[in-house]
């Protein structure tokens, strides 16, 4: 079992709709959680970080964390073609970063 | 603040050669991590350095090595290159390596082994 799991996609989302991405992790003592966006041929860029249970909103992005169920999700509202990318979930457990394989999102006009 | 920089951006080598990649972290960041990214394997953790000491290491053979200098700049070296070493090598820096610290990535070095 991989330590951080994501659906590989592609997740096809109509423009203007909500994209929902999920991530599960295996280490119960994981302490902080991150979502990165990576465009093809580019390096990952940080979208959001979340440390405590609940929701955290930043513009069109909302991260949700449920430590009891060991999952973290990312919602992208009003999806735009520029949101087409691979989204990486990262988990920090006692200072060690572990990444999921990423979910490819394709926003269709 | 300037971001994480990596040099060179592109490299072409042949099997059996060795290569050295360089990473300069964001000013004030003391932790530097290296990752290998390939289409089939995703982001794979190589190693992490803090205050010139390797603190964490991933599951890569000894051909992959690194070091960190007193100014936090880091290098990684791959000896006896193999075709499978072709990948995007990413460096990421963070203030330290605490749970709340965020990693910021450089643009990467794309290595092609022929």
């Amino acid at each position: 079992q991989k330590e951080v799991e994501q659906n590989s996609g592609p997740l096809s989302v109509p423009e203007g709709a909500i994209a929902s991405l999920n991530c599960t992790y295996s280490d119960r003592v994981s302490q902080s959680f991150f979502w990165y966006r990576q465009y093809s041929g580019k390096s990952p860029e940080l979208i959001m970080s979340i440390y405590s249970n609940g929701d955290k909103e930043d513009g069109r992005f909302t991260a949700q964390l449920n430590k009891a169920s060991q999952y973290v999700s990312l919602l992208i509202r009003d999806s735009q073609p520029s949101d087409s990318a691979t989204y990486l979930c990262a988990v920090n457990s006692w200072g060690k970063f572990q990444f999921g394989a990423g979910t490819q999102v394709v926003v269709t006009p | 603040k300037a971001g994480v920089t990596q040099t060179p951006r592109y490299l072409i080598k042949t099997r059996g050669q060795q290569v050295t990649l360089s990473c300069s972290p964001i000013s004030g960041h003391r932790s530097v991590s290296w990752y290998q990214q390939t289409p089939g394997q995703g982001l794979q953790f190589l190693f992490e350095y803090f205050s010139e000491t390797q603190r964490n290491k991933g599951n890569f053979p000894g051909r992959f090595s690194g070091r960190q200098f007193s100014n936090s700049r880091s290098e990684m070296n791959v000896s006896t290159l193999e075709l499978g070493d072709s990948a995007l090598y990413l460096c990421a820096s963070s203030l330290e390596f605490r749970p709340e610290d965020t990693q910021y990535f450089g643009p990467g070095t794309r290595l092609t082994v022929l």
Side-chain angles (χ1 to χ4, degrees):
Chain A
Q1 181 191 4
K2 291 185 178 179
E3 299 186 29
V4 181
E5 297 212 46
Q6 299 179 251
N7 290 328
S8 61
L11 176 65
S12 184
V13 181
E15 186 174 354
I18 295 175
S20 178
L21 292 78
N22 296 315
C23 170
T24 59
Y25 58 94
S26 60
D27 189 347
R28 287 192 170 274
V29 298
S30 297
Q31 297 150 310
S32 50
F33 309 85
F34 306 84
W35 283 100
Y36 288 82
R37 176 176 62 197
Q38 187 173 25
Y39 293 112
S40 179
K42 302 295 186 181
S43 62
E45 56 179 332
L46 180 71
I47 298 175
M48 293 188 67
S49 59
I50 186 166
Y51 308 114
S52 53
N53 282 328
D55 295 358
K56 180 181 178 182
E57 187 175 315
D58 184 359
R60 294 186 296 111
F61 299 97
T62 299
Q64 300 172 316
L65 175 62
N66 184 323
K67 289 188 178 181
S69 300
Q70 295 177 241
Y71 87 80
V72 58
S73 64
L74 179 71
L75 299 177
I76 308 173
R77 290 183 300 281
D78 188 25
S79 295
Q80 302 297 309
S82 60
D83 294 327
S84 296
T86 296
Y87 290 79
L88 302 171
C89 171
V91 174
N92 188 333
S93 300
W94 300 106
K96 186 175 179 182
F97 266 75
Q98 294 166 316
F99 285 83
T103 297
Q104 183 186 6
V105 172
V106 178
V107 180
T108 56
Chain B
K1 276 186 181 177
V4 179
T5 58
Q6 292 186 246
T7 56
R9 294 292 311 279
Y10 302 91
L11 265 180
I12 299 176
K13 294 285 188 178
T14 57
R15 281 181 298 175
Q17 288 187 309
Q18 75 165 17
V19 66
T20 299
L21 313 182
S22 180
C23 171
S24 292
I26 292 171
S27 178
H29 285 195
R30 298 165 66 191
S31 172
V32 174
S33 297
W34 288 90
Y35 297 87
Q36 180 195 67
Q37 188 174 38
T38 57
Q41 298 295 320
L43 262 176
Q44 303 290 311
F45 173 73
L46 281 155
F47 28 66
E48 182 257 341
Y49 286 87
F50 180 82
S51 291
E52 302 177 66
T53 300
Q54 185 182 92
R55 294 196 303 185
N56 287 296
K57 189 176 190 303
N59 296 324
F60 278 81
R63 299 186 297 106
F64 291 82
S65 63
R67 59 177 176 169
Q68 186 181 35
F69 302 95
S70 58
N71 61 358
S72 294
R73 190 176 69 85
S74 177
E75 289 181 347
M76 68 163 283
N77 182 276
V78 188
S79 62
T80 319
L81 284 166
E82 300 177 358
L83 295 179
D85 296 334
S86 294
L88 179 66
Y89 290 87
L90 292 161
C91 164
S93 77
S94 59
L95 274 172
E96 295 191 9
F97 212 53
R98 302 165 300 183
E100 64 268 30
D101 289 330
T102 301
Q103 287 195 336
Y104 297 92
F105 285 87
T109 294
R110 185 162 297 281
L111 172 65
T112 302
V113 182
L114 302 176

